[in-house]
Amino acid sequence: MYTTILTGLNNNIFTITINRPDKLNALNKAVFEDLNKVLDEVYTNDDILSAVITGAGTKAFVAGADITEFKGLTVEEGKALAKAGQDTFFRIENCPKPIIAAVNGFALGGGCELAMSCHFRVASNNAKFGQPEVNLGLIPGYGGTQRLVQLIGKGRAIELLISGNMIDAATALQYGLVNQVFEAAQLLPETYRLLANINTKAPLAIGACISAVNAAFDEARDGYAVEIDAFGFCFATDDMQEGTQAFMEKRKPLFSGK
Ligand code: COA
């Protein structure tokens, strides 16, 4: 079904593995086509409660957009490429189901941008992050200039962007770019453990949290108003009835996602 991506569904956790290890999983046109199809699956398959994105092999998460596809592009073609990449990554960011990046090596350029579009990031201790586009006479085009500022602040973001330097996993943790760092062999098991816990929570409430948090970074929307609406919406859900009832009955809630 996919040519550049491997998928697997276990315990309602969907694993998306970018699978071009000989090219360090660089994002070419085919990967973007597959990513969009895979996101259709995440959005529509009710058996999927959450997803993890990772890279094939031990060396790279994703080492960037595929540089070989840049040669000879016009200004308009460059803008269209950036717009298409941004649109795909907005679909990740706005997905009501949690999508976590498990960064298992180089996350450079478009790879760092892909990881930043996920709801949060965990990394192996050999992970490396960077936006090296200035080495190519370019800048990030898939949201990197915006999300890097949101995640690590303006000064650190500008330094990374204009130096092209890479940071290691420990620095990424200190910057708040990743939430946790694990031994490489433990990265996926620990990510699954995190998601197994999240999967026991109310799915509609999870989606509402994601939407309200995203509204904080959208100047067109009043995040506080979005929160009020989302809070009110929860009262109409079966899961809110179940969650409060279970609390009073001193038992664990069993959420239906309705
Ligand atoms: N686009 C296309 N191909 C890429 C790539 C990218 N972003 N990143 C790596 N590759 C390819 C290499 O060309 C090489 O292919 P080849 O074996 O056919 O020559 C293969 O992946 C392995 O990479 P290599 O450079 O040999 O590995 P390395 O360990 O020496 O270096 C990196 C690893 C990540 C430092 C280096 O590959 C690199 O700098 N990549 C580009 C990073 C970048 O600028 N990303 C932003 C793009 S906008």
Side-chain angles (χ1 to χ4, degrees):
M1 187 175 181
Y2 305 110
T3 56
T4 63
I5 283 177
L6 304 172
T7 60
L9 181 60
N10 228 319
N11 293 330
N12 303 106
I13 302 169
F14 194 52
T15 303
I16 299 163
T17 307
I18 314 290
N19 186 33
R20 295 183 74 210
D22 53 328
K23 297 292 176 190
L24 304 189
N25 305 319
L27 304 174
N28 63 4
K29 227 173 144 214
V31 176
F32 270 107
E33 277 169 20
D34 278 348
L35 253 182
N36 275 307
K37 280 193 264 170
V38 117
L39 286 169
D40 290 341
E41 204 174 335
V42 174
Y43 270 76
T44 57
N45 183 343
D46 290 340
D47 291 333
I48 298 173
L49 290 181
S50 58
V52 46
I53 301 182
T54 193
T58 53
K59 203 168 162 184
F61 172 71
V62 166
D66 191 316
I67 298 167
T68 62
E69 291 186 347
F70 288 168
K71 191 104 186 98
L73 294 188
T74 64
V75 169
E76 287 314 314
E77 286 165 341
K79 286 168 76 171
L81 190 71
K83 174 79 171 63
Q86 287 191 7
D87 285 348
T88 302
F89 290 0
F90 277 135
R91 293 187 71 203
I92 296 174
E93 185 167 60
N94 292 318
C95 183
K97 301 176 185 180
I99 303 180
I100 308 313
V103 179
N104 57 310
F106 289 112
L108 303 176
C112 190
E113 292 173 292
L114 170 64
M116 290 193 294
S117 73
C118 292
H119 296 121
F120 64 85
R121 290 139 293 286
V122 292
S124 58
N125 50 11
N126 65 323
K128 293 235 169 11
F129 297 80
Q131 297 288 164
E133 287 88 347
V134 285
N135 294 321
L136 304 167
L138 273 171
I139 73 163
Y142 304 156
T145 61
Q146 305 304 294
R147 293 195 180 95
L148 201 56
V149 178
Q150 292 167 12
L151 288 164
I152 68 173
K154 184 176 173 183
R156 283 169 169 166
I158 291 188
E159 185 183 353
L160 274 189
L161 290 164
I162 69 175
S163 68
N165 286 344
M166 290 185 213
I167 55 171
D168 61 15
T171 308
L173 182 65
Q174 190 204 330
Y175 281 13
L177 187 56
V178 301
N179 289 13
Q180 290 194 70
V181 175
F182 302 108
E183 294 283 328
Q186 289 311 309
L187 177 65
L188 280 179
E190 290 290 346
T191 308
Y192 294 141
R193 211 172 54 80
L194 284 169
L195 286 175
N197 170 51
I198 290 169
N199 284 357
T200 65
K201 315 301 174 188
L204 292 171
I206 285 175
C209 285
I210 290 170
S211 164
V213 169
N214 284 340
F217 299 96
D218 182 348
E219 280 181 10
R221 292 192 297 167
D222 175 352
Y224 289 96
V226 171
E227 184 181 280
I228 287 172
D229 285 345
F231 184 78
F233 159 80
C234 292
F235 286 83
T237 65
D238 291 351
D239 282 349
M240 190 270 183
Q241 304 302 328
E242 165 65 6
T244 49
Q245 190 69 28
F247 175 80
M248 288 185 289
E249 291 172 6
K250 299 191 186 304
R251 62 173 172 84
K252 284 199 168 158
L254 207 58
F255 294 119
S256 63
K258 293 191 178 107

